[in-house]
Amino acid sequence: MVPITTFHYLVVAAALFVMGVIGVLTRRNLVVILMSIELILNAVNLNLVAFSRMWGNLHGQVFSIFITVDAAAEAAAGLGILIAFFRNRETVNVDEIDLLKW
Amino acid sequence: MNSALNSGINATNANMAPVGTPYFFYGLAALALVSAFLVITRRNVVHSALALIVTLLSVAGLYLMLYAPFVAGVQIIVYAGGVMVLFLFVIMLVNIERSYKERRFSGLLPVGLVAGCALFGLFLFALTKGRSLFPDRMMLLPESSNTQQIAGMLYGDAGKMGQYTFAFEIASLLLLVAILAAVIMTKRRA
Amino acid sequence: MPDFITSYLGSILTPGEAGNQFWALVYVFIIFAGVSVAVMSMNWLERKALAHFQIRLGPMRTGPHGLLQPIADAIKLLLKEDLIPAGADRFVFWVAPLIGLLAAFAVYTVIPFGPSQAVSDMNIGILFMLGVSSLGVLGVVVAGWASNSNYPLIGALRSSAQMVSYEVAMGLAVVSAILMTSLNETGTGTLSMIGIVRAQQEQGVWFIFKFFPLGLIAFIIFAVAMVAETNRAPFDMAEAESELTAGYHTEYSGLRWSLFMLAEYAAMISVSSIAVTLWLGGWMRPFPRLLHAPAWDLVFSLFPGLTFLGLASIALVGVVRMPRHAFFKVQKIGLAGFCAVLGFISLLLLLIAIAGRSNNNIASRLNESVGYIYWFLLKVAVFMYLFIWYRATWPRYRFDQLMRVGWKVLLPISLTVLVLTAIVGVLFS
């Protein structure tokens, strides 16, 4: 069996990233889009931690913690927007977010 | 810490070779990818959220395989325990019965698929071409003091400011701003 | 292979650290069986204690003093029809109790019953425990949603809001205890559960008494938040029967319902273990420094045996007080048998305690292990009794009061305690 190297982790991370991108581009539900963004951020985290293992230092892990912080902030703000939007328009469909000001 | 004990741990770590590492890797990676696929294809949002939790947990498993236990713990406690509960809470708060009957994908579906596949192709091309940049070595990180070392980088060691202390403070500011944003946006206008 | 198994015996490490999968598995099975038995006996004890609080007798018919009631309950639940509501999301409905159960049981991998009596000693032990036990809320939320019914949905909403709120105060209280572990020569703290107890051992004080009253306040905050985390009275908003029928598990029946109960009680035991580990000295016996002489060691090592002797004598009193009537004959025999079993365990433990005084290596190790596990479980048992006591004493909170207490009282206090702990720690170390 092939030993697992950094390359394997990078491929997995790339696949996760691409799935997140496809989700953001194609889904209409705002909640799912936010979840796809979480997928993208996780792919980046996986990359960073894999590189951290490759170089044998912890900078990558520290950066991945920063990204986790960012993801939490993004989720809080994004869901806040979602609730505000739902209150005004009674929908969570991004195709219907087409007014500049309500 | 008891130094004699620590040396004992290190001595046993040497002959503690992980068992069946590739199998665990392939299992976790497959689980992560399959559930990520479910996240972006399920019609029902709660199913998507559950699939995302599985993805997050299997990525946490991958972190553990990369000798990053602290990041794995943060992943579980922040993502699976915090962010996903928030997601589920919001999903239940906004009644989404209507969206089940609507189309799942926007008109951008073909464009998105093509763009995604092209992006993946680009990634694979870059990774295989630049394979020499990623040496096939795996450094042995000191797992038993992982948390302490990360703390040293974030908060500083022995009175000195750490490398990332300033960035860490800014990150806390970002969180504060996010909390304020969430509160202000969800508050009902009087 | 036998070498692999025997080589671990006599090791001072946990099986996880020593990399011994066989003993890790054995420990997992022991803990699984132990927790299941503990949940069953807790079920009996709760019904009995609640009844006595309310001047009732509680279960009396199934076995002597209702001792077989948990088994009867289990059989009833297993035989009951397992309903799935018509509009329910079948898959999610099926998987929700399993999420809760998995989260409640996964936590036990890092609980230190003794310096080497744990499945594994993770570097991130307490972080892992908090993280995994917070996964339990997912089971509750998802169960409420999947039932496709209004009461469970409201229960799920309440539960998720409540858990997210109280987790913040809980986490801050835990951080202030972890901060105390760093008060040594090197200045590095630890997140490992065993390391936290070792830190208390080295500093010679349980963290509840450290920097009085800071440790005590942090402990009280944790003790309040853990009741809210496990959805127990007076914070059982998620299953408030006077408002929501049964809350998130209204639509559940039979086996699935019993899985929820199992998860709830297992979570109660695990959060109590966190409290014991962080603030009450984990496996340490009282006054390990002050009462240090070998004579005291002997006295304290007699405690496990004497406890079981006490239980056996209570059972004996029950046998003697049983009415002299043919109807009670079987019950009398049963209780006498129970008494005999308890007495036998007591005798065994006393023998171990006395043999532990000798120079025999195995006997003294065995004696030590029994002591560690006994003191840990005794402290946990006190918490389990407190859970019942709360339930019998306090009326249920209103939901807005609950949120107000969480955000406006517990959170500021825990932040203050955290900051003060840091300041005092810098000043006095």
Side-chain angles (χ1 to χ4, degrees), chain C residues 8-10 54 98 112 115 177 194 214 224 234 253 273 275 278 296 298 318 370 375 391:
Chain C
Y8 173 70
L9 297 172
Q54 297 159 352
L98 296 182
I194 288 179
L214 291 180
V224 173
S253 62
S273 317
L278 285 177
W296 282 110
L298 178 64
V370 167
W375 287 110
R391 182 171 166 185

Side-chain angles (χ1 to χ4, degrees), chain B residues 1 5 9 12 16 19 44 46-47 50 53 69-70 73-74 76-77 80-81 85 88-89 92 100 143-144 146-148, chain C residues 12-13 16-17 19 21 89 92 123-124 127 130-131 134-135 137-138 141-142 145 153 157 160-161 164 189-191 198:
Chain B
M1 285 297 285
L5 193 85
I9 290 168
T12 47
M16 179 187 152
V19 190
N44 192 326
V46 174
H47 290 183
L50 283 179
I53 290 165
F70 185 72
V74 167
I76 293 174
I77 202 166
V85 175
L88 283 170
F89 186 72
M92 284 166 205
Y100 298 157
E143 189 184 12
S144 55
N146 176 279
T147 315
Q148 281 84 352
Chain C
I12 55 153
L13 297 168
E17 272 174 315
Q21 285 88 4
D89 190 316
V92 179
N123 181 26
I124 52 157
L127 201 65
L130 288 179
S134 71
L135 291 184
V137 62
L138 291 174
V141 173
V142 158
W145 176 82
L153 187 66
L157 275 175
S160 56
V164 170
T190 175
L191 292 178
R198 283 241 164 78

Side-chain angles (χ1 to χ4, degrees), chain C residues 102-114:
Chain C
L102 206 64
F105 273 94
V107 166
Y108 284 91
T109 42
V110 289
I111 290 179
F113 296 93

Side-chain angles (χ1 to χ4, degrees), chain B residues 131-143:
Chain B
R131 180 122 197 216
S132 55
L133 290 174
F134 317 124
D136 278 353
R137 62 176 177 179
M138 282 301 211
M139 295 295 221
L140 208 60
L141 286 174
E143 189 184 12

Side-chain angles (χ1 to χ4, degrees), chain B residues 146-157:
Chain B
N146 176 279
T147 315
Q148 281 84 352
Q149 286 184 347
I150 288 180
M153 292 171 97
L154 285 181
Y155 299 108
D157 262 332

